[in-house]
Amino acid sequence: MELGLVGLGRMGGNMRQRIRNAGHTVVGFDHNQEISDAKDLADMVGKLTAGDQPKVVWVMVPVQAIDGVVTELAELLSPGDIVIDGGNSRWTDDTRRAAQLAEKDIRFVDCGVSGGVWGLENGYALMCGGDKETVDVVMPIFEALKPEGEFGFVHAGKVGAGHFSKMVHNGIEYGIMQAYAEGYELLEAADIVENVPEAFESWREGTVIRSWLLDLLVASLKDDSHLAKIRGYADDSGEGRWTVEAAIDHAVPMPAISAALFARFASRQEDSPAMKAIAAMRNQFGGHAVKGAEAADPSYATPPKH
Ligand SMILES: O=C(O)[C@H](O)[C@@H](O)[C@H](O)[C@H](O)COP(=O)(O)O
């Protein structure tokens, strides 16, 4: 089968390779001409020549770039052709993009892709949304990308269901990582377990908490046993926020995942305005000493007089 692939970065580049390894033809486009097979989107679409078959284009670009690519593809593709959004898009944007393409009778599939930089070797878990007939056309590409085992693919439902499923997957990812991270901090702080990396490594087999994320944490601890080379700062690219927002919409209690999200926000603060306020109130009601401000205002060191 033939595929146009837009975006050949860390994810798209490896996906092109995995799809080619399975014997399909991929015409990739990237702004970086050194890795691109086409000079622009029009050139890429022009190079798809699979006779009377619908053209299929997989978009693997950062969220901010998707609307621009979809708008251009709407002009370049023909009725019956298919666009797949494989990025980490917000699921609520899928119906809008599907409607925009449907005006030209172009079909749309949303597909959450998991696996990161290991996907070339291990395969990518895929969560897709769209109508069955359209998903069936793309199936040979999904088969090429997915892991070899029994699992790793779901047609989750109509348009939006793929990205919704990937969003919840990522919310769970936040919660699991946070739990390992908190356990790590306690083991480091308590000073009773002599070799913390060894304890984590022992959990990789036989325990109820063995997992790939644990394996990855062990790999990091092997390289840097106290994580001394890394600052405790974690970004987020949106999926955790959208998960918590969806939980609010459905009144679903989500204490673990929301705490994991908020822990990332806290990681970016030099100092905590909220904790300053708590320290100030403790000082006011109990005369408890505050740190850091004594030099600026000596009155903080002693109980306020009311
Ligand atoms: O399943 C995956 O392969 C990951 O979830 C992947 O999609 C990506 O690494 C996250 O988007 C990072 O998300 P945050 O930036 O929100 O941590």
Side-chain angles (χ1 to χ4, degrees), residues 88 114-116 166 169-170 173-174 236-237 264:
N88 270 342
S114 183
K166 176 65 170 39
H169 162 282
N170 278 41
E173 181 181 299
Y174 276 51
D236 74 291
S237 47
R264 292 196 188 190

Side-chain angles (χ1 to χ4, degrees), residues 127-147:
M127 296 141 252
C128 71
D131 65 65
K132 185 173 178 330
E133 201 193 324
T134 311
V135 169
D136 283 347
V137 176
V138 190
M139 212 54 210
I141 300 298
F142 291 144
E143 288 288 351
L145 286 170
K146 73 179 261 314

